Amino acid sequence: MTGAADKSEVSGLSFEQAVAELEQIVQRLERGDVALDQSIEIYERGEALKKHCEKLLGAAEARIEKIRLDRNGSAVGTEPLDRG
């Protein structure tokens, strides 16, 4: 569960899916019933999930900032968010 394949698997998750998996990882690590080697592997997966969530949140914030408002406060258009 390490390496480039694992990172691409994380990148395909929605924000909600990544957060749910991250919560499961935290619970497993807090229980303390996981072997050390597996704990390190799980922790690495958690770090990848955290970075993915931060990336998705940053993209959402950028998109929100692109919304333009007219004099009445109504949205008049948005610029598409570049996904890369």
Side-chain angles (χ1 to χ4, degrees):
M1 203 192 281
T2 59
D6 196 37
K7 289 180 183 176
S8 65
E9 181 184 334
V10 168
S11 67
L13 296 175
S14 71
F15 178 80
E16 292 79 8
Q17 291 169 323
V19 168
E21 186 176 342
L22 191 53
E23 288 173 348
Q24 291 174 353
I25 287 172
V26 169
Q27 289 173 359
R28 288 182 70 188
L29 291 173
E30 285 179 343
R31 280 196 314 260
D33 60 354
V34 181
L36 179 60
D37 289 343
Q38 190 177 13
S39 292
I40 293 169
E41 188 175 310
I42 291 169
Y43 182 84
E44 290 173 345
R45 173 77 176 178
E47 279 295 312
L49 289 164
K50 181 181 89 71
K51 288 178 184 178
H52 179 63
C53 288
E54 289 171 345
K55 180 182 174 183
L56 292 175
L57 284 174
E61 288 174 357
R63 186 170 183 189
I64 288 169
E65 288 176 7
K66 289 184 177 184
I67 296 174
R68 297 188 333 241
L69 301 177
D70 67 10
R71 285 185 251 175
N72 299 324
S74 301
V76 294
T78 62
E79 297 177 28
L81 178 65
D82 293 333
R83 298 184 76 87

